[in-house]
Amino acid sequence: MSTLFQLHAPMNTLKAMVREMAPLWHSGDSILLLAETVAALPWLKTYIDDINYDDDLLSQITDIAAIYVLSDDLAQLNEQAKENLNLSKVSVINDKEWVQLTQSVDRVVTLNSTT
């Protein structure tokens, strides 16, 4: 069963959100970063590593099928933010592809901490 985790969080809550996602994670799941969360891509990878090397946690986030960002969200970032992102292992998708992606997985979990 594959899950797409859609994350929408400001930088100050992203680590907590990744911790919340960990117990729900199964090998082969995917992550979509929404809106300003795209700019936190390097931190997402760091927070996942932190969880995976934390012996006190019983959960890990491993075997990520894909990490996605929306092209419109990426376009909203300023040039300096874009230059600091390594998108080599990220799939940039448009809205139509996003809809197709949500229909191709078994479930979609949206974690939103912007309120």
Side-chain angles (χ1 to χ4, degrees), residues 1-2 6-7 22 28 30 32-33 42 55-56 63 65-66 81 103 113:
M1 181 161 98
S2 63
Q6 300 183 141
L7 306 182
S30 298
L32 170 66
L33 300 179
D55 294 335
D56 294 333
D63 300 318
Q103 295 171 346
S113 69

Side-chain angles (χ1 to χ4, degrees), residues 33-102:
L33 300 179
L34 295 170
E36 70 275 6
T37 313
V38 172
L41 177 63
W43 288 104
L44 172 72
K45 294 175 180 181
T46 299
Y47 295 152
I48 289 171
D49 286 345
D50 286 350
I51 285 173
N52 290 344
Y53 294 107
D54 186 338
D55 294 335
D56 294 333
L57 292 177
L58 301 176
S59 304
Q60 289 192 330
I61 298 174
T62 59
D63 300 318
I64 301 171
I67 297 176
Y68 300 95
V69 299
L70 296 174
S71 56
D72 288 345
D73 292 341
L74 189 59
Q76 296 300 316
L77 297 178
N78 65 42
E79 289 305 313
Q80 183 179 5
K82 289 179 195 176
E83 289 173 10
N84 291 329
L85 293 180
N86 178 357
L87 298 174
S88 64
K89 295 182 181 179
V90 175
S91 297
V92 179
I93 60 175
N94 61 34
D95 286 347
K96 182 178 178 182
E97 292 167 320
W98 180 18
V99 171
Q100 292 169 344
L101 178 61
T102 62

